[in-house]
Amino acid sequence: MFTSTGSSGLYKAPLSKSLLLVPSALSLLLALLLPHCQKFFVYDLQAVKEDFQIWRLICGRIICLDLKDTFCSSLLIYNFRIFERRYGSRKFASFLLGSWVLSAVGDFILVEAVWYSFGITAARNLPSGFLAPVFALFVPFYCSIPRVQVAHILGPLSITNKTLIYILGLQLFTSGSYIWIVAISGLISGICYSSDVFQVRQVLYVPRWLAKFCSWALEPIFSSSEPTSEARIGMGATVDIQRQQRMELLDRQLMLSQFAQVRRQRQQQGGMINWNRLFPPLRQRRNVNYQDGRRSEQPASPPLEVSEEQVARLMEMGFSRGDALEALRASNNDLNVATNFLLQH
């Protein structure tokens, strides 16, 4: 079963929601009702270069004309919404803006390199749509999201919580003949913006006044309510697997409900939340009786040894060492559960 990082839905991700709804709706409208208007949204670099149709750099790089690209990019944006929750809508928008502008320059350079090296004209065949920033988001996804093994396949090959996202990216990468140009320029732009090459973050960013205006005007439209529960039950192949999955779901719901009860006391205590007091190690809960709803009591277990590598990976994501240690102990060294909870709260 594939696991995702963060809660489901688009809570605290209004920009991601707008990128899902508006371009997708326009793409469907152009494909089904207004096919004669698609010519205005073709990403034609040769027309930009020879006829100075600069507007194509904007119209041709927002709306996908291929519905397969629309579907794949929408799924990827939905999975990458965790970065908007993590860094805020303004920083997330700044990253998208920076990678979008830098990738336009990269498209020009790569198209010219292909022409001079192989004599192939790719300027009129580039795919349209908001694709380069989507590929750019794979850079922070690779660097900051922990890789958690889900299942083994053959020897060293394994399925992780990130496998499905990479498969979607590969599907998008192979959806057209020259989409690799957009993908490479997007990845390079993501690396440049993440590394702040030539201080590009000080040049390409969303101004604070514009972020406040968009928050005032657009956030009420695209905001989503907080999910009441994480009702995700996996479809196991056997009854035992399904029972275990339901047990994990109940554990997670218990964690969230207990956290909500003591969250108001955190400021009064003036210290770090006692994770072990709130969330006893999940893997040591046994003898669960689902028929009458009663759980057996378990004696307190000694503190668990925590892997420093897992602590370091959580600290790289911006969490304090104390929170990382307590979260890993509370989840019995389950990095996915610990990361999931820390990102939600």
Side-chain angles (χ1 to χ4, degrees):
M1 182 176 65
F2 292 104
T3 56
S4 60
T5 305
S7 60
S8 60
L10 291 163
Y11 176 61
K12 291 185 178 180
L15 179 58
S16 300
K17 185 176 182 179
S18 65
L19 291 175
L20 282 174
L21 296 180
V22 177
S24 300
L26 293 176
S27 180
L28 288 172
L29 183 64
L30 290 173
L32 301 178
L33 301 178
L34 301 172
H36 58 280
C37 296
Q38 289 186 352
K39 60 183 179 180
F40 298 108
F41 297 93
V42 174
Y43 186 27
D44 190 346
L45 286 182
Q46 189 169 347
V48 175
K49 179 180 178 182
E50 296 178 358
D51 302 330
F52 299 101
Q53 297 180 4
I54 307 299
W55 53 272
R56 290 193 180 275
L57 288 176
I58 299 176
C59 296
R61 304 182 73 241
I62 294 179
I63 302 174
C64 292
L65 299 181
D66 191 335
L67 293 182
K68 298 191 303 295
D69 294 346
T70 302
F71 180 73
C72 291
S73 60
S74 298
L75 287 177
L76 289 172
I77 289 174
Y78 178 78
N79 281 279
F80 290 148
R81 73 198 185 283
I82 185 64
F83 296 115
E84 183 176 3
R85 294 174 180 167
R86 177 77 175 134
Y87 302 114
S89 297
R90 183 182 174 220
K91 289 186 178 179
F92 185 66
S94 298
F95 180 89
L96 295 178
L97 174 64
S99 60
W100 188 74
V101 173
L102 293 175
S103 61
V105 179
D107 290 344
F108 269 107
I109 296 175
L110 289 176
V111 165
E112 293 298 323
V114 170
W115 165 251
Y116 284 110
S117 301
F118 307 103
I120 299 175
T121 303
R124 292 188 179 274
N125 300 305
L126 294 180
S128 302
F130 197 71
L131 300 177
V134 173
F135 283 108
L137 285 169
F138 274 97
V139 176
F141 179 74
Y142 175 81
C143 296
S144 61
I145 300 299
R147 178 180 177 271
V148 180
Q149 180 179 306
V150 176
H152 273 294
I153 301 180
L154 291 174
L157 298 178
S158 62
I159 298 177
T160 70
N161 59 325
K162 302 168 72 173
T163 301
L164 181 60
I165 312 302
Y166 289 133
I167 292 176
L168 282 174
L170 182 61
Q171 172 65 32
L172 187 60
F173 183 83
T174 58
S175 63
S177 300
Y178 295 100
I179 196 173
W180 61 269
I181 294 178
V182 177
I184 292 176
S185 63
L187 291 173
I188 294 175
S189 65
I191 295 173
C192 292
Y193 198 88
S194 298
S195 304
D196 198 15
V197 177
F198 302 119
Q199 296 184 345
V200 67
R201 294 182 185 175
Q202 281 69 39
V203 179
L204 299 175
Y205 67 95
V206 176
R208 190 177 300 275
W209 63 268
L210 181 59
K212 290 182 178 180
F213 174 79
C214 293
S215 177
W216 171 77
L218 300 178
E219 188 170 351
I221 301 175
F222 295 106
S223 60
S224 300
S225 59
E226 184 176 2
T228 56
S229 63
E230 297 291 328
R232 298 176 56 189
I233 299 178
M235 297 299 294
T238 66
V239 175
D240 291 338
I241 294 177
Q242 292 178 8
R243 185 180 298 129
Q244 179 64 27
Q245 290 171 351
R246 286 179 171 82
M247 180 178 176
E248 292 175 356
L249 174 63
L250 292 174
D251 286 334
R252 183 169 298 180
Q253 291 177 342
L254 180 62
M255 289 171 63
L256 296 177
S257 63
Q258 289 177 335
F259 181 84
Q261 293 175 3
V262 300
R263 193 175 185 181
R264 295 186 298 269
Q265 302 176 2
R266 184 175 185 178
Q267 296 180 349
Q268 299 177 357
Q269 293 175 355
M272 186 175 56
I273 293 180
N274 190 347
W275 298 73
N276 284 330
R277 180 174 61 83
L278 296 179
F279 316 125
L282 304 181
R283 298 181 184 272
Q284 296 188 10
R285 298 177 183 175
R286 299 185 179 91
N287 300 327
V288 178
N289 191 339
Y290 287 98
Q291 295 179 355
D292 57 6
R294 296 176 298 177
R295 294 174 178 264
S296 61
E297 297 291 335
Q298 293 292 333
S301 59
L304 296 174
E305 293 293 332
V306 178
S307 171
E308 288 295 329
E309 180 181 357
Q310 293 180 343
V311 174
R313 295 176 73 175
L314 289 176
M315 292 178 65
E316 289 175 358
M317 297 179 64
F319 303 112
S320 66
R321 178 178 176 83
D323 283 347
L325 286 171
E326 298 296 338
L328 287 171
R329 288 169 182 163
S331 60
N332 198 28
N333 284 324
D334 192 323
L335 183 60
N336 190 38
V337 173
T339 307
N340 197 2
F341 189 83
L342 287 171
L343 287 174
Q344 289 182 47
H345 302 281

